């Protein structure tokens, strides 16, 4: 080895099922690199972690590290054309992003394998010779400000900053990390600072190859990848920076034993109980926080959550390490309280400390550690492959903290039982150093402080150890105990070895009761299965009331199953029951060994459903708050909701459901549940490590339970009852628009969804649309976000409503009102037309090839494969060979075909164009709302005043769903 040091492959611990090869190298500039060779991959990827983050922001320049992360995407000395990195990645089937954490900044991308070398070279320029022009600097401060604007009304951001706010001002944990216009432009200018100059200085002082870690994931063998990496990355300068280190604790004595009451944006009450602890990273093989989080966060019988739920006080609980660095860490317990639980906060905290006392009295149990260790080991060795872009990010972050042999493992394999160490962390969860954050709208008018950056209203009071001891004493006397051993841990991990080497799902059986689709695992060879059973029940969505009751029905089922089935989730067998179009669905995914036991328990609960009035009230309260909180959704989410409501026939408006909900009682569900199940049809998809006959008997058992016997629960559907999915067919040559004021009067952001409806699912039309979206996506982002700075959320994406295809621009902005954003979208399309026509044949072919590669990308795991095939079944399109057929269609396309497609469907003013603009006005543009509505209508535009009158008056596309001719028997 001529360059640096190398660590041989077998030193890196890897999963038994992992066929990839790994190599650690160190370049001559001290850049440490992990090379990954995967001959089966369709995408190559890279991730660079730089050991500097927001903790390193200079005083008075909050957000500078984050701002620098934004700026590196613009241009470099070698590739000076602005945004050319993003354009290259996007047009070659890839994606890219970055994030700034407290002590790290991570940059990452993935791209089609045949374009990796140039993509990697462009990526490396971030760290070699970036250009940060004055013009770009000013524009990107606006982008950072827009990103901060979208977070201002988010409770997650607000409460996290409040926890940082109540800490030592001399510790960087206290800082504001995102940055905004004030911190990056106004304040520096007032102090005579040039932000760009400070930016360049920050880069020079902190970005150095010796504090970077790179992961490169490629198709080629390790030797080839190594040569490539050495050639490209050895030019990163090594300034011999010291690794950023922030010793000391963020919380002093005055920040402990505090009770902080805070007012959230959304409805709901939350308790966050937090303790500073020793960081687990120094003892990751002993895993003290994993052990304690497993027990305190457990949901089985005898657990803290089980008791709180039984009392009707809580609807969710989580526990574990949070906000950890090498120097400090926190252990957090988060509890979602009910209205009644809110009145018993002291009892809830008392019960938490009682459970902690139980853990101390019971001693640290080796059998619990061993069980947890076994679960973790199985999970590690049978982990699913994930997208290379996600994998490289995980690994490059791990490289910062772990020795090379544990780069893949991280802290996921606790293997050394050390009761003293677990006991030490347990002792830190004491009444003496607790911080309690309590959020509720009930505190409105009762707070006396405001957090600086997000404007969160709060109050703070000291609480003594003896006071908390009183809470413990007065808490209810309930039976808390440790969990029983986990019966769902799989012991049979053998593969069935499917005899059928089928490429696509096959129809096992179709009857008046059910359709069974089956896809044995011929790709992944893991002991896992995927089961989806869609109960088609015509009564489920016959009215807004029925839809709400179906929602409560599914949530009650999940509620009843929780203490039994929680162990299955811990052991890697996941389940869900959720409302679906015209009914509800049951989904299971995970190890196949004990999947059937869980499925039969779930189905039995459905068949023997009864309403427990106390649980009904808790679930109703939860659903009511969620519906009420819709008004706090981001404006672009509101716009997308209105768009779906306008387009999708037979959807009920949330506001009607919200009006009905308070009046529903347990007796309404008692009446409704038998009606819901009285007519049903089962659409089933079973895949993975499971045999054909097992799949059939699994469903036969369910059919026997519901449809057979003297007094069956359900009868089969009549042919006329099979559900359909109908979508409004917009009129050609007409531009429709719908305007609404934002539901949250405090939100300054406005939003636009500009939707262009194109066609009903057809391979040739699909690929024209997809090719347009691929070519236009980055151009739209560059023009509307980077150049015009309309807003942080600016995206052009495809849309598919049950097989009806189109594209949509989604933009959220404080800079312009929705009507003006709409004009900017049209202006972009006019500008883009020239780009499309001027495209060279080579560029066209390159884009076609990129799309072909994207389509032929192999599924990485069972969940991904099943999601693709289930979408075909759920939409009724049933085109399991879609990817191959679309590739064949794509190869016939010419540049002129794409131009013709654009001219017919997308071009501004095209006579056959169908478009719909949904405009949501934030409070900055509320004056424009009425003014825009009073504007005289342009020719060929139609204003939608009432969504339902409009929907009733429009023709509908034919439904793929329920058209049985599509299924070849």
């Amino acid at each position: 080895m001529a360059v640096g040091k190398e660590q041989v492959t077998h030193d890196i611990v890897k999963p038994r099922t992992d066929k990839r090869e790994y190599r650690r190298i160190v370049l001559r500039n001290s850049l440490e690199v992990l090379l990954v060779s995967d001959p089966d991959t369709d995408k190559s990827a890279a991730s660079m972690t730089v050991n500097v983050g927001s903790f390193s922001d200079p005083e008075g320049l909050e957000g500078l590290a984050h701002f620098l992360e934004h700026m590196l995407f613009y241009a470099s000395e070698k590739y000076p054309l602005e945004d050319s990195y993003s354009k290259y990645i996007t047009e070659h089937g890839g994606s890219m992003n970055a994030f700034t954490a407290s002590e790290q900044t991570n940059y990452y991308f993935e791209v089609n394998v045949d374009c990796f070398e140039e993509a990697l070279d462009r990526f490396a320029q971030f760290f070699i010779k970036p250009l940060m022009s004055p013009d770009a600097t000013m524009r990107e401060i606006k982008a950072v400000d827009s990103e901060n604007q979208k977070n201002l009304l988010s409770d997650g951001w607000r409460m996290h900053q409040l926890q940082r706010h109540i800490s030592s001002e001399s510790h960087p944990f206290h800082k504001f990390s995102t940055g905004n216009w004030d911190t990056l432009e106004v304040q520096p200018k007032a102090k005579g600072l040039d932000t760009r100059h400070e930016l360049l200085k920050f880069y020079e002082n902190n970005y150095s190859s010796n504090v970077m870690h790179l992961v490169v994931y490629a198709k080629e063998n390790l030797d080839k990848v190594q040569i490539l990496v050495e050639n490209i990355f050895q030019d990163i300068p090594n300034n011999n920076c010291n690794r950023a280190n922030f010793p000391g604790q963020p919380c002093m004595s005055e920040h402990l034993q505090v009770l902080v009451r805070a007012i959230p944006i959304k409805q709901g009450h939350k308790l966050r109980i937090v303790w500073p602890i020793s960081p687990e990273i120094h003892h990751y093989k002993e895993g003290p926080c994993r052990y304690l989080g497993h027990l305190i966060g457990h949901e089985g019988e005898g657990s803290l959550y089980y008791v709180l739920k039984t009392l009707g006080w809580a609807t969710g609980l989580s526990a574990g390490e949070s906000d950890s660095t090498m120097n400090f860490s926190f252990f957090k317990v988060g509890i979602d309280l009910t209205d009644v639980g809110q009145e018993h906060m002291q009892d809830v905290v008392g019960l938490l400390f009682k459970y902690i006392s139980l853990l101390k009295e019971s001693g640290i149990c080796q059998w619990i550690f061993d069980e947890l260790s076994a679960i973790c080991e199985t999970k590690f060795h049978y982990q699913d492959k994930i997208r290379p872009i996600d994998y490289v990010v995980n690994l490059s972050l791990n490289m910062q903290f772990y020795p090379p042999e544990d780069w893949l493992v991280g802290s996921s394999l606790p293997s050394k039982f050390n009761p003293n160490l677990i006991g030490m962390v347990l002792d830190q969860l004491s009444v003496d150093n607790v911080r309690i954050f309590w959020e509720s709208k009930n505190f409105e008018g009762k707070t006396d402080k405001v957090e600086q950056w997000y404007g969160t209203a709060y109050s703070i009071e000291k609480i003594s150890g003896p006071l908390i001891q009183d809470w413990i004493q007065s808490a209810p006397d309930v039976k808390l105990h440790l969990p029983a051993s986990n019966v769902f841990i799989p012991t049979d991990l053998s593969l069935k070895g499917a005899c059928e080497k089928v490429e696509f799902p096959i129809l096992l059986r179709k009857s008046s009761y059910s359709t069974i689709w089956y896809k044995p695992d011929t790709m992944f060879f893991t002991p896992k299965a995927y089961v989806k059973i869609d109960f088609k029940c015509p009564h489920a969505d016959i009215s807004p009331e029925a839809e709400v009751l179906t929602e409560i029905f599914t949530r009650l089922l999940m509620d009843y199953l929780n203490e039994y089935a929680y162990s299955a989730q811990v052991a890697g067998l996941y389940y869900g029951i959720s409302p679906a179009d015209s009914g509800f669905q049951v989904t299971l995914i995970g190890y196949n060994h004990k999947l059937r036991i869980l499925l039969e328990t779930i189905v039995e609960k459905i068949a023997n459903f009864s309403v427990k009035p106390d649980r009904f009230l808790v679930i109703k309260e939860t659903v009511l708050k969620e519906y009420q909180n819709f008004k706090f959704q981001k404006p672009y989410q509101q716009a997308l909701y209105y768009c779906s409501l306008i387009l999708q026939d037979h959807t009920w408006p949330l506001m009607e459901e919200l009006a009905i909900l308070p009046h529903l009682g347990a007796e309404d569900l008692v009446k409704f549940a038998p009606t819901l199940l009285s007519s049903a049809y089962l659409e089933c998809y079973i895949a993975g490590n499971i045999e054909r006959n097992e799949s059939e008997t699994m469903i036969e058992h369910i059919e026997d339970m519901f449809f057979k016997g003297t007094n069956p629960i359900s009868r089969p559907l009549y042919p006329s009852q099979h559900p359909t999915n109908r979508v409004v067919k917009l009129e050609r040559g007409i531009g429709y628009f719908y305007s609404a004021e934002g539901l949250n009067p405090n939100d300054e952001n406005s939003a636009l969804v500009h939707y262009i409806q194109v066609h009903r699912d057809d391979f040739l039309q699909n690929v024209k649309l997809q090719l347009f979206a691929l070519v236009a996506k980055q151009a739209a982002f560059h023009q509307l976000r980077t150049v015009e700075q309309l807003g942080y959320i600016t995206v052009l994406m495809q849309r598919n409503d049950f097989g009806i295809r189109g594209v949509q621009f989604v933009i959220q902005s404080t800079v312009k009102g929705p009507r003006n954003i709409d004009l900017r979208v049209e202006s972009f399309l006019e500008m883009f037309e020239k780009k499309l026509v001027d495209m060279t044949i080579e560029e066209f072919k390159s884009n076609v090839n990129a799309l072909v590669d994207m389509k032929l990308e192999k599924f990485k795991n069972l969940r991904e494969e099943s999601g693709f095939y289930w979408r075909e079944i759920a939409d009724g399109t049933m085109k399991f060979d879609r990817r191959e057929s679309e590739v064949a269609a794509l190869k016939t396309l010419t540049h002129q075909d794409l131009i013709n497609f654009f001219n017919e469907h997308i071009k501004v003013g095209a006579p056959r164009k169908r478009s719909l603009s949904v405009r949501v006005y934030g409070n900055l543009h509320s004056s424009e709302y009425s003014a825009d509505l009073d504007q005289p209508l342009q020719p060929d535009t139609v204003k939608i005043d009432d969504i339902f009158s409009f929907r009733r008056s429009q023709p509908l596309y034919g439904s793929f769903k329920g058209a049985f001719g599509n299924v070849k028997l």
Side-chain angles (χ1 to χ4, degrees), residues 443-638:
F443 302 138
E444 284 176 342
K446 300 173 186 170
T447 59
D448 58 355
K449 292 180 172 57
V450 176
E451 188 276 319
Q452 176 184 358
W453 300 107
Y454 290 83
T456 305
Y458 74 99
S459 64
I460 183 166
E461 67 175 90
K462 289 293 275 183
I463 45 170
S464 65
L467 177 64
I468 300 174
Q469 290 295 346
D470 289 346
W471 297 355
I472 298 168
Q473 293 304 317
S474 61
D477 186 16
V478 288
K479 188 78 180 97
L480 291 165
H481 60 80
L482 296 178
S485 60
N486 192 329
V487 296
F488 282 103
I489 295 175
T491 51
D492 178 3
L493 296 163
S494 61
L495 300 181
K496 309 278 188 186
C499 316
E500 302 156 278
K501 298 297 176 205
V502 296
E503 196 179 352
F504 303 117
I506 51 178
L507 185 61
L508 279 192
R509 190 158 60 78
K510 183 170 171 51
S511 70
S512 59
Y513 305 126
S514 68
T515 303
I516 309 172
W517 294 98
Y518 170 64
K519 172 68 175 68
D521 177 11
T522 55
M523 274 183 77
F524 312 111
F525 309 108
T526 59
K528 297 177 182 179
Y530 181 100
V531 174
K532 175 86 82 174
I533 300 166
D534 204 341
F535 284 75
K536 296 290 177 196
C537 305
H539 294 286
D541 57 2
I542 205 160
S543 66
E545 183 177 343
E547 198 160 89
V548 175
L549 287 168
T550 303
E551 172 84 46
I552 295 174
F553 168 80
T554 59
R555 296 216 194 187
L556 273 174
L557 284 165
M558 289 292 285
D559 185 76
Y560 297 166
L561 284 159
N562 193 61
E563 49 267 21
Y564 167 76
Y566 177 75
S567 294
Q569 311 220 96
V570 170
L573 177 55
Y574 303 96
Y575 71 100
I577 307 167
S578 56
D581 294 321
S582 309
F584 62 95
Q585 56 188 218
V586 174
T587 310
L588 291 93
I589 183 165
Y591 302 115
N592 56 274
H593 181 204
K594 299 184 177 178
L595 182 146
R596 187 156 181 178
I597 299 167
L598 180 58
L599 176 63
E600 290 184 359
T601 306
I602 290 170
V603 170
E604 207 170 293
K605 274 272 188 280
I606 297 168
N608 300 317
F609 180 79
S610 64
V611 181
K612 298 176 184 170
D614 59 329
R615 298 312 300 160
F616 175 89
L617 289 174
V618 169
I619 299 297
K620 175 186 165 182
E621 180 190 310
T622 306
V623 174
L624 183 61
K625 284 175 187 165
E626 284 179 20
Y627 280 30
Q628 288 168 337
N629 284 334
F630 177 74
K631 76 174 188 180
F632 302 113
Q633 293 263 43
K634 293 185 171 69
Y636 82 90
Q637 294 169 317
Q638 294 176 31

Side-chain angles (χ1 to χ4, degrees), residues 385-411:
K385 249 188 171 181
I386 58 174
R387 291 172 64 203
I389 195 171
D390 298 323
Y391 195 54
V392 293
V393 169
N394 293 345
L395 295 183
S396 69
L397 291 171
N398 279 356
M399 288 171 77
Q400 298 269 313
F401 300 112
Y402 302 98
E405 63 269 22
D406 287 334
W407 281 349
L408 309 192
V409 172
S411 59

